[in-house]
Amino acid sequence: MLQHRAILRTEIFSYTCPGAPLVEMWWLSEIVLALAGNLLGWGGIVLVASVVCATIVWLLHRQLLAEGNELLLATVFTLLATAVCATHWLARPHLATQLMVVVFAWQLRWFNRGRVTPRRLLVLLPLLMALWANLHGSFIIGFVLIGIYLTAAVVKWVRATAEQRPALHERMTALLALEIACFLTSLLNPNGWKLLVQVIRYTSNPLMMGMTQEFLPPNFHDLGTLPFVIVLVVTLLMLLIVRPRLDLTDKLLLIVWLVLSLRMVRNGPVFALVATPILAEHWNAYLCAAAPSRILRRYRGLSARLTSIDQMAGSCGLPALATIAMILVLAKPRLFGGQPLLTTELPATQFPVAAVEFLRQSPNAVHGEMFNDYVWGGYFTLAMPERKVFFHPIVLVYEEEVIRDFLRANNGEPGWEDILAKYHVNWTILPREHRLNRFLARRADWRLVYSDPVATIYGRIP
């Protein structure tokens, strides 16, 4: 896109669907990351992602403090939400969604409490929605957040007395106008209304969604879900111990995003970001009103000392100095001597770097079309663009027949030989322990071309 100064409109990376219509759902994020990569290498991409992650934490922490929560409690809850989000902190466009969720949830919450005017809401959020729709396809989450607040306002209006209804009617009108305005500004993208259609098509297709693990329900046997489980436990304890009188809007926010996060692991960070201000508010009120005890006195003493230290540090710029020092120590650029302690190159233990180098050195070792690993598809489009892949992770460009054929062959199901023949596959490049390699090793019409601890290449014997 940078080279041709144009948005991609058709599929150009795979030979199984050449020229298929392509709706870029995160083109602007790709441009930003590509510019950073061209300027600073892989480290530039990591830098952009790190800044976005840090901004998410900073905004959430500022919100909790601005709502009157004690520093210690606000910090603990922010770190807990951070732990949930961090499982998805990769240098990928979806980081933009977490950032926008923080801002949307914050502004809607404050509007609901009269701390943000309708005018500010109707100016800020539609502008951010226009940006969000170009950064990542999950901008539809913004519509859901607004819809929850609008639904709660309608229910309150129905239940309200005659004296309460004018204020609620004004709130409903503002939220409805906001929903419409955000919908209209979301159309300000290179694909217009087709973008929303593409998002709906993707999220409503179980076959496509099932290709990506983060779109599946959470696996509670995985340690990576532990922070999410802790947030659930803290929420349950709040209901059992604190027993707050939750506002209808807060109830809907907790219920809707809890259900969605149990349906799809990728919604876990959204639940954490939306629930944290609610949890912090009621736990803070509970601790402030609790009867004095030894533990509570220690908590308040520690919180007071940390608040004092924080105020002193903020006034003399210590956080900025500490951040710069940490970057210098970890990155350790050559200007200061030595090699970086943190590397940002693609790890050769996870990607077929050596195998690709072999193909560069021996281009005639294989001929014709390839069959490749799903996860490696994106890497091959970067590392050897001259060889078109069978399949890459942008599954939206593929017809369902191609997806099903790929899955059957990739799983080594009966008929996999026919599928490889159907697409004229003459060689494969797969992880060393891939199931299909064992089948190919037993075939007389296939031979081992290359193997290392990461990847194995088989070629069809002419």
Side-chain angles (χ1 to χ4, degrees), residues 100-132:
M100 290 297 178
V101 165
V102 171
V103 178
F104 266 65
W106 183 353
Q107 295 303 301
L108 287 167
R109 177 176 168 86
W110 279 23
F111 168 74
N112 199 48
R113 294 169 175 237
R115 298 182 65 171
V116 168
T117 63
R119 168 180 261 180
R120 174 182 170 87
L121 205 68
L122 287 167
V123 171
L124 177 61
L125 295 194
L127 289 176
L128 290 178
M129 177 57 76
L131 180 61
W132 194 353

Side-chain angles (χ1 to χ4, degrees), residues 367-378:
H367 300 277
E369 308 295 1
M370 76 162 85
F371 184 86
N372 61 279
D373 178 65
Y374 168 71
V375 175
W376 290 350

